[in-house]
Amino acid sequence: MIILAQVAALVGAAVHLLAFVWETLLFRRPSIHEDLFRIPTGDVAAVRMWAFNVGFYNLFLGTGALMGVALWRAGEDTVGRALVLYTCSFMLLAGIALFVSDRMAMSRPRGAGLGGAAAQCTPPAIALIALAAA
């Protein structure tokens, strides 16, 4: 179960690192802000600071999970496991918040954010369940 938890944490890290790239580095591309996030080009200037900042949250979560797994695999069980538990809990809770905001249709049509919420919640949920079972 430990290997499953570590692999799921790494998948969660990859999701968040990809989100960093989209939100911080590539956000002004129409294929990202319009097609992926459903933000009209006319609204990009208004939400760019938000996207940039959220991108860095995702960078820190992703690198935290990577470091947790790396430390855990290097024999630093307590520190590595604590980092994985914290970052995966944060990812899961943030995904739940994304799901709730989607259900409330806060910025897009209801249902448009379900894929993102599932991508954000599923890997850390698997990691946390595997850790609880280990």
Side-chain angles (χ1 to χ4, degrees):
M1 293 303 270
I2 297 298
I3 297 298
L4 176 60
Q6 291 174 345
V7 169
L10 291 173
V11 171
V15 167
H16 284 77
L17 293 172
L18 180 59
F20 162 75
V21 171
W22 288 337
E23 293 165 341
T24 304
L25 306 176
L26 304 177
F27 190 73
R28 288 184 281 180
R29 293 183 180 183
S31 62
I32 301 299
H33 68 262
E34 286 182 354
D35 299 340
L36 186 63
F37 292 107
R38 309 230 170 111
I39 305 292
T41 299
D43 294 342
V44 168
V47 299
R48 187 163 176 249
M49 183 179 78
W50 155 82
F52 187 84
N53 192 44
V54 170
F56 274 92
Y57 274 86
N58 287 319
L59 173 67
F60 302 146
L61 280 172
T63 55
L66 286 175
M67 288 304 300
V69 171
L71 287 167
W72 199 351
R73 306 265 317 148
E76 297 292 334
D77 292 354
T78 302
V79 174
R81 189 179 185 118
L83 265 173
V84 168
L85 283 170
Y86 175 75
T87 56
C88 286
S89 297
F90 193 124
M91 290 175 194
L92 177 61
L93 293 171
I96 291 169
L98 179 58
F99 174 80
V100 169
S101 70
D102 177 79
R103 301 299 356 149
M104 296 171 67
M106 294 183 83
S107 68
R108 303 181 272 202
R110 185 170 293 153
L114 291 179
Q120 189 170 18
C121 284
T122 304
I126 291 169
L128 293 170
I129 291 167
L131 284 174

